[in-house]
Amino acid sequence: VLPVPARAAVRLPAPSQLLSLLLCLSWALPWPCGALPNAPDYLQRGWQRLLEEGESCSDCSPEECPMPRGCLAGLVRDPCECCWECANLEGQICDLDNTNHFYGKCGDHLECKLDTGDLRKGEVPEPQCACLSSQTLCGSDGKTYAQICKFQEVFHAYPEANLTVAHEGPCESGKPQILSPPYDVWNITGQDVIFGCEVFAYPMASIEWRKDGAEILLPGDDPHISVQFRGGPQKYEVTGWLQIQGVRVTDEGTYRCFARNRVGEVAALANLNMTGLSLPRPRPGPEDYVESEELDDYY
């Protein structure tokens, strides 16, 4: 008589798994539900977690719990509400039902939500940790943080610094910072040329253009030269463009982008070369800016 194998214990799906199954059925995915193609690391981590936890929680002994380290998003209780473990960071996969059974739970000032943008692109959205606030902050270290979640990451990474929030809004940076300067252009007559200049500043900055050897601000009264600028692409940034339509031989020269606020002024230059025979000038670095400062203090 052949031995009858023991029946394996059956674990009921976690609420987050049931939700994933319902979402899968409702979206009519091109693969069987539960059989996702090319399972990424976060899925492997989730299934490994279920296997390690077993079917149920044992008696809680907090004194036996290891203390997690390096948790940039703070701490959360494990699925058994016994030990502390690292919370999930902004952008990491999470349990949509706000539990901690499969992917993990979001940290301080974060919520687990679906990216509806993925749905519009025809993709299956993944629940990810998203920051609850978009308010820019100034830290006691004099650095500007895009929002509280980025501030918290640095706070937990360097606890000895005793970092605090100085005030809402960015830190006053002093002189503007040129993030993306204009670059040299080699062209032939009759073609159009566009120089760009992207600036970060708080207080906000204005952008002006000049050509070396000319006293007036561009475009002046020249109809084939135009200047535009707008806010962005990020907060407290402004971008300006200088466009020369139908380039002429007389347009050859050095053009400068000036960024100015009530604290100070910086400039970056670019050359319009009509010969096209010389070697390109190296890509401008921080040393090419006039009175520029280090950019490491900004996110």
Side-chain angles (χ1 to χ4, degrees):
V1 179
L2 295 175
V4 178
R7 174 176 290 182
V10 178
R11 176 189 174 99
L12 292 177
S16 59
Q17 294 172 270
L18 291 174
L19 179 59
S20 299
L21 180 61
L22 292 174
L23 291 173
C24 178
L25 293 173
S26 63
W27 287 330
L29 300 179
W31 56 77
C33 293
L36 298 179
N38 301 323
D41 292 341
Y42 66 80
L43 280 180
Q44 296 175 7
R45 184 174 70 249
W47 287 114
Q48 182 66 29
R49 183 173 183 170
L50 288 177
L51 292 174
E52 292 175 353
E53 289 172 3
E55 296 184 25
S56 60
C57 297
S58 58
D59 294 337
C60 179
S61 300
E63 65 278 4
E64 299 179 4
C65 295
M67 190 61 188
R69 298 178 180 273
C71 301
L72 300 185
L75 302 174
V76 293
R77 291 289 187 182
D78 65 13
C80 294
E81 294 294 329
C82 179
C83 300
W84 291 105
E85 63 181 19
C86 288
N88 289 5
L89 288 164
E90 182 179 12
Q92 286 187 320
I93 204 77
C94 52
D95 288 326
L96 193 57
D97 55 0
N98 200 35
T99 62
N100 195 10
H101 292 292
F102 193 65
Y103 300 125
K105 194 172 183 178
C106 299
D108 299 335
H109 307 286
L110 293 160
E111 65 174 344
C112 189
K113 60 190 298 185
L114 290 173
D115 186 355
T116 55
D118 289 341
L119 278 175
R120 290 192 293 269
K121 298 175 185 176
E123 301 175 359
V124 178
E126 296 173 342
Q128 295 182 352
C129 295
C131 196
L132 290 168
S133 172
S134 59
Q135 173 66 56
T136 306
L137 301 174
C138 176
S140 56
D141 55 356
K143 295 182 179 180
T144 297
Y145 296 89
Q147 22 86 338
I148 184 63
C149 300
K150 296 301 182 186
F151 173 86
Q152 286 291 115
E153 291 180 19
V154 178
F155 173 82
H156 290 298
Y158 304 100
E160 68 281 358
N162 296 319
L163 186 63
T164 59
V165 175
H167 59 79
E168 292 186 347
C171 304
E172 288 209 9
S173 60
K175 298 174 184 177
Q177 305 287 331
I178 297 181
L179 303 181
S180 180
Y183 299 115
D184 291 350
V185 176
W186 285 259
N187 210 316
I188 58 175
T189 56
Q191 301 296 313
D192 294 345
V193 168
I194 298 178
F195 292 110
C197 190
E198 183 180 318
V199 176
F200 173 92
Y202 187 83
M204 291 296 291
S206 61
I207 293 178
E208 298 174 347
W209 293 90
R210 291 180 182 270
K211 182 182 179 183
D212 282 7
E215 297 297 328
I216 63 172
L217 293 175
L218 296 175
D221 57 358
D222 194 328
H224 87 300
I225 297 180
S226 60
V227 170
Q228 297 179 350
F229 68 93
R230 65 173 176 80
Q234 303 297 327
K235 279 186 176 181
Y236 312 107
E237 293 180 7
V238 61
T239 303
W241 296 272
L242 172 69
Q243 181 176 12
I244 306 175
Q245 295 179 317
V247 171
R248 308 165 186 169
V249 174
T250 54
D251 293 323
E252 185 174 24
T254 299
Y255 293 83
R256 296 180 185 267
C257 162
F258 290 88
R260 179 183 294 112
N261 64 8
R262 61 180 172 83
V263 180
E265 176 184 292
V266 293
L269 61 85
N271 294 313
L272 174 55
N273 191 324
M274 301 301 296
T275 66
L277 298 177
S278 59
L279 293 175
R281 184 164 66 92
R283 186 182 181 94
E287 65 276 7
D288 295 308
Y289 303 157
V290 179
E291 300 180 345
S292 64
E293 300 176 2
E294 294 297 325
L295 302 182
D296 294 338
D297 289 347
Y298 304 98
Y299 281 84

